[in-house]
């Protein structure tokens, strides 16, 4: 993270600046698509996004740890320790662990409802014991905590031109759409971890059982029943993208290039999966670098044009923007610990 971004965000404490840099590194290492999109946000908003995604990646890494001896019991203990640090950090607005410190600071600055973080941790704990979901409704229940709340956490940072309550369903849907995309792309890797996120009733409707998935994975062969199930799962994901799409126009215009870029690039993962013949049990589909660069370049051009128009326009905006909360120092007693649900 550049010093310019931290300066723009009003983050001056050296320890806190280092904490935000740690979150930025986690986001860059694990979320290449969204990290690229984040670069399109105004500089002062980027640190908060890195804090939110850095924490999410850190917790997810604990759940998916493949370190020797990292059994379910050890991972559960690490999640419990993280929960304690999170609770203390959110209460105090600080923390002795860098990622928690940055997250707590972001939560205070943008008045993010603490329930979103608690729901997220509940979903992470469930991943240690739940290995499949009987129905799509069951999966959506899980994804409220694992994905929808990420969109809700982001909304105060992005700002809106409508009330947050109006934008919330679309922000939540976008988080779910992104995760469904990841689930489809990572079917093989998740199977190796003992998890199947494609709902059981969807698989059964095509005559697919877990044993058949393992057979395809181990032999490198495909089965028409599995392909049909994966196509239906792809269709579910595309439906959620349609739920999310109206929310793009509800965002603060300066945030739209970032989110639209993420929307296009994640949707392109679905295209890559289909183009690769739904071979997700054998390899990971990727969006070509040229496409990522082309989409990002187009978004940057639109963002530049938007900024130029803004500079030339002297009249006040005709549409009020629900902008992020002022970047008050964390020690300010007037700043609430938690705000409205977003």
């Amino acid at each position: 993270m550049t010093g310019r971004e931290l300066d723009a965000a009003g983050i001056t404490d050296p320890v806190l600046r280092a904490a935000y840099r740690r979150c930025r590194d986690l986001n860059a290492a694990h979320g290449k698509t969204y990290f690229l999109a984040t670069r399109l946000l105004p500089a002062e908003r980027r640190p908060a996004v890195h804090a939110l995604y850095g924490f999410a990646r850190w917790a997810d890494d604990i759940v998916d740890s493949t370190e020797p001896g990292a059994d379910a019991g050890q991972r559960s203990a690490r999640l419990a320790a993280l929960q304690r640090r999170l609770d203390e950090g959110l209460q105090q607005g600080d923390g002795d662990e860098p990622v928690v410190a940055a997250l707590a600071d972001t939560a205070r600055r943008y008045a993010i409802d603490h329930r979103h973080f608690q729901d997220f941790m509940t979903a992470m704990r469930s991943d240690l014991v739940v290995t499949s979901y009987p129905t799509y409704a069951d999966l959506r229940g899980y994804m409220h905590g694992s994905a929808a709340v990420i969109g809700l956490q982001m909304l105060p940072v992005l700002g809106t031109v409508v009330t947050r309550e109006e934008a919330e369903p679309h922000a939540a849907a976008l988080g779910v759409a992104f995760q469904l995309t990841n689930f489809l792309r990572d079917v093989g890797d998740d199977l190796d971890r003992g998890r199947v996120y494609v709902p059981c009733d969807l698989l059964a409707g095509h005559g697919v059982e877990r044993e058949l998935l393992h057979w395809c994975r181990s032999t490198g062969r495909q089965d028409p029943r599995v392909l049909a199930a994966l196509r239906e799962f792809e269709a579910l994901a595309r439906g959620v993208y349609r739920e999310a799409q109206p929310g793009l126009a509800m965002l603060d215009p300066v945030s739209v290039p970032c989110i639209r870029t993420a929307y296009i690039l994640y949707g392109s993962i679905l295209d890559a999966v289909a183009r690769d013949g739904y071979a997700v049990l054998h390899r990971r589909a990727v969006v070509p670098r040229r496409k990522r660069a082309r989409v990002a370049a187009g978004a940057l051009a639109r963002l530049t044009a938007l900024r130029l128009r803004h500079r030339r326009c002297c009249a006040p905006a005709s549409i009020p923007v629900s902008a992020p909360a002022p970047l008050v120092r964390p020690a300010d007693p007037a700043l609430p610990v938690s705000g409205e649900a977003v």
Side-chain angles (χ1 to χ4, degrees):
M1 186 178 302
T2 66
R4 182 177 68 86
E5 293 173 353
L6 295 167
D7 292 341
I11 301 167
T12 58
D13 179 81
V15 175
L16 193 56
R17 286 168 75 94
Y20 273 99
R21 286 193 177 97
R22 171 60 179 151
C23 292
R24 188 260 190 198
D25 291 343
L26 285 170
N27 193 11
H30 293 286
K32 292 181 175 59
T33 296
Y34 200 76
F35 179 77
L36 173 65
T38 301
R39 300 293 299 165
L40 298 170
L41 280 175
E44 68 272 11
R45 303 190 197 185
R46 295 175 203 162
V49 175
H50 292 317
L52 295 172
Y53 273 80
F55 179 82
R57 289 308 320 177
W58 188 32
D60 196 58
D61 283 348
I62 292 175
V63 172
D64 291 338
S65 176
T66 58
E67 297 176 4
D71 56 20
Q74 184 184 60
R75 284 177 284 161
S76 179
R78 290 177 64 189
L79 274 182
L82 177 58
Q83 180 74 68
R84 290 192 295 271
R85 286 177 165 176
L86 173 65
D87 293 341
E88 293 172 1
L90 291 175
Q91 183 177 9
Q92 300 169 6
D94 197 359
D96 58 4
E97 204 294 322
V99 177
V100 171
L103 180 78
D105 183 63
T106 291
R108 284 178 63 93
R109 287 168 179 262
Y110 289 96
I112 300 173
D113 194 316
H114 293 181
R115 288 177 298 175
H116 300 325
F117 302 111
Q118 302 303 339
D119 289 348
F120 174 76
M121 291 301 294
T122 297
M124 293 299 97
R125 287 192 295 272
S126 76
D127 263 334
L128 298 179
V129 294
V130 179
T131 61
S132 63
Y133 294 86
T135 67
Y136 182 55
D138 295 315
L139 182 64
R140 285 293 292 249
Y142 161 76
M143 288 190 295
H144 166 75
S146 64
V149 297
I150 303 297
L152 297 175
Q153 292 167 22
M154 283 282 295
L155 204 54
V157 180
L158 299 173
T160 60
V161 295
V162 298
T163 64
R164 287 183 186 170
E165 290 80 6
E166 185 177 351
E168 282 172 1
H170 305 290
L174 189 59
V176 171
F178 288 170
Q179 185 162 64
L180 286 171
T181 301
N182 288 339
F183 286 162
L184 180 59
R185 180 194 60 192
D186 298 337
V187 166
D189 290 341
D190 288 331
L191 187 64
D192 291 344
R193 298 186 183 104
R195 302 190 206 117
V196 176
Y197 290 105
V198 182
C200 296
D201 63 346
L202 187 156
L203 293 172
H206 296 279
V208 177
E209 296 182 351
R210 186 179 288 228
E211 291 74 14
L212 180 58
L213 297 177
H214 280 292
W215 179 84
C216 291
R217 178 73 167 165
S218 62
T219 64
R221 298 174 65 180
Q222 293 190 340
D223 184 283
R225 294 166 292 178
V226 173
L227 296 180
L230 296 176
R231 286 193 193 95
E232 183 176 345
F233 194 67
E234 177 204 2
L236 282 176
R238 292 192 186 275
V240 182
Y241 277 97
R242 290 191 290 272
E243 292 178 34
Q245 196 275 335
L248 296 177
M250 299 179 183
L251 298 175
D252 181 346
V254 299
S255 297
V256 172
C258 165
I259 304 304
R260 187 181 298 280
T261 296
Y263 181 95
I264 293 171
L265 290 179
Y266 268 92
S268 296
I269 294 174
L270 295 179
D271 297 335
V273 168
R275 190 167 53 248
D276 197 34
Y278 302 91
V280 289
L281 280 164
H282 316 304
R283 54 186 172 269
R284 206 179 207 224
V286 296
V287 178
R289 287 186 179 180
R290 286 184 180 179
K291 169 143 192 175
R292 284 189 287 160
R294 185 168 64 251
V295 171
L300 181 59
R302 288 189 292 272
L303 180 59
T304 301
L306 174 66
R307 288 172 176 170
L308 286 173
R309 286 197 301 270
H310 177 73
R311 289 172 186 170
R312 292 169 181 168
C313 180
C314 298
S318 60
I319 302 177
V321 175
S322 174
L327 299 184
V328 183
R329 294 299 305 145
D332 190 336
L335 190 65
V337 174
S338 64
E340 63 176 328
V342 293

